[in-house]
Amino acid sequence: HPSAIDHQEFLWEEAYEMCQRRHTMVLPFSAVKHLEGVQISPPGVVPQQGRRPRTICDLTYSGVNETTVELTHGDAMRFGRALRRILFQIYRADPRWGPVYLSKIDISDGFYNVCVNANGSKQFGIVLPTPPGEEPLILFFLGLPMGWVSSPPTFCALTESAADVANDRIDANWAPPGHRCDSVADTPTESTRPASKTGPPPRIRHRVKGPVGRTDVYVDDFILLAQGGKRRRKRLRRILFHCIDMIFRPPDAKDDKWKKDPI
């Protein structure tokens, strides 16, 4: 793909970093050409304004997408409705409990946190650009790749599950133990944005109800909505941290420096 040629330096750096993080492995073509079931596709690079480019696999070229048996839950991809749900929760909040605070938690490395088995990994090979005269190198994804038709619904099913468990535990008033990310999350973020102004109250009759405590998610971005004092907001955030750890493996003492915390 022309984008891969234009970004070949980026692809080499990305391949090295992903191998260090155990997300991929790179083998010479001579080591894989006789393996049964190997599929090799061309890579592509999607430029992103203000962010690193994103590597994707053109799995339509090798026919992997067309031959994939659809076993995932497409309903997990609730694209386009997350903002409406969040705004509705804010609109319906009882102002007696104060403003609604929002906290966003992003899952680092996204799809790559979900491992695939060995047979699946053989389907996700891409050929890296190599100088003329050198043996081609084949990169295999060990996690869900960008470009596979089942990657988005599989990943979204996991993040939606984490959000559902978090909401259940919020409703149950769970008091979780401390979390490794507490101190980082307590660090204030510098902002030049002016303070929000109080707007008119909603045109609805407020029922007697408790403060808002709800988690929503859009792909890999968790949004926590919370009312109440600082202590309650911290407890709800801690609940979400622990529920994310239930789905995406947190780092432990056996990991090296390349293991990235999903949170």
Side-chain angles (χ1 to χ4, degrees), residues 128-148:
L128 296 174
T130 52
E134 293 191 8
E135 182 178 9
L137 297 176
I138 310 301
L139 180 144
F140 291 94
F141 286 89
L142 305 179
L144 294 178
M146 293 290 297
W148 185 38

Side-chain angles (χ1 to χ4, degrees), residues 168-186:
D168 288 343
R169 301 211 169 188
I170 290 173
D171 294 340
N173 290 321
W174 181 40
H179 192 273
R180 65 185 181 281
C181 295
D182 282 341
S183 60
V184 176
D186 286 336

Side-chain angles (χ1 to χ4, degrees), residues 73-259:
H73 298 281
D75 292 341
M77 298 188 297
R78 299 191 291 174
F79 298 155
R81 287 175 279 177
L83 179 61
R84 182 182 183 277
R85 294 193 301 269
I86 293 170
L87 294 177
F88 185 74
Q89 288 283 339
I90 297 173
Y91 180 77
R92 294 281 296 177
D94 191 334
R96 294 181 302 170
W97 296 102
V100 178
Y101 291 84
L102 276 73
S103 176
K104 185 178 85 71
I105 301 171
D106 176 72
I107 301 300
S108 181
D109 287 343
F111 289 0
Y112 300 148
N113 289 287
V114 185
C115 298
V116 298
N117 60 31
N119 287 328
S121 181
K122 291 193 296 184
Q123 303 284 320
F124 302 141
I126 61 172
V127 58
L128 296 174
T130 52
E134 293 191 8
E135 182 178 9
L137 297 176
I138 310 301
L139 180 144
F140 291 94
F141 286 89
L142 305 179
L144 294 178
M146 293 290 297
W148 185 38
V149 66
S150 291
S151 289
T154 300
F155 183 79
C156 288
L158 296 174
T159 55
E160 290 284 351
S161 297
D164 291 342
V165 174
N167 287 326
D168 288 343
R169 301 211 169 188
I170 290 173
D171 294 340
N173 290 321
W174 181 40
H179 192 273
R180 65 185 181 281
C181 295
D182 282 341
S183 60
V184 176
D186 286 336
T187 304
T189 303
E190 296 182 3
S191 176
T192 58
R193 180 178 298 179
S196 301
K197 297 181 179 180
T198 303
R203 298 189 302 272
I204 60 174
R205 184 175 299 175
H206 290 287
R207 302 183 180 93
V208 179
K209 53 185 176 181
V212 169
R214 196 73 181 170
T215 297
D216 211 316
V217 63
Y218 179 80
V219 191
D220 62 345
D221 291 324
F222 289 88
I223 306 296
L224 175 65
L225 298 89
Q227 281 180 296
K230 184 176 180 180
R231 187 173 179 178
R232 180 178 188 269
R233 301 197 306 268
K234 185 173 183 177
R235 180 176 64 85
L236 300 190
R237 185 188 65 200
R238 189 176 285 169
I239 288 176
L240 179 55
F241 282 160
H242 282 285
C243 291
I244 292 174
D245 284 347
M246 296 177 188
I247 303 296
F248 301 104
R249 187 181 75 82
D252 56 34
K254 296 181 180 180
D255 289 317
D256 57 22
K257 65 177 183 178
W258 290 101
K259 168 61 180 176

Side-chain angles (χ1 to χ4, degrees), residues 41-64:
S41 305
V45 178
V46 179
Q48 300 187 96
Q49 185 175 2
R51 301 175 63 184
R52 283 167 56 94
R54 177 167 292 179
T55 304
I56 61 172
C57 308
D58 185 6
L59 296 178
T60 56
Y61 176 87
S62 56
V64 173

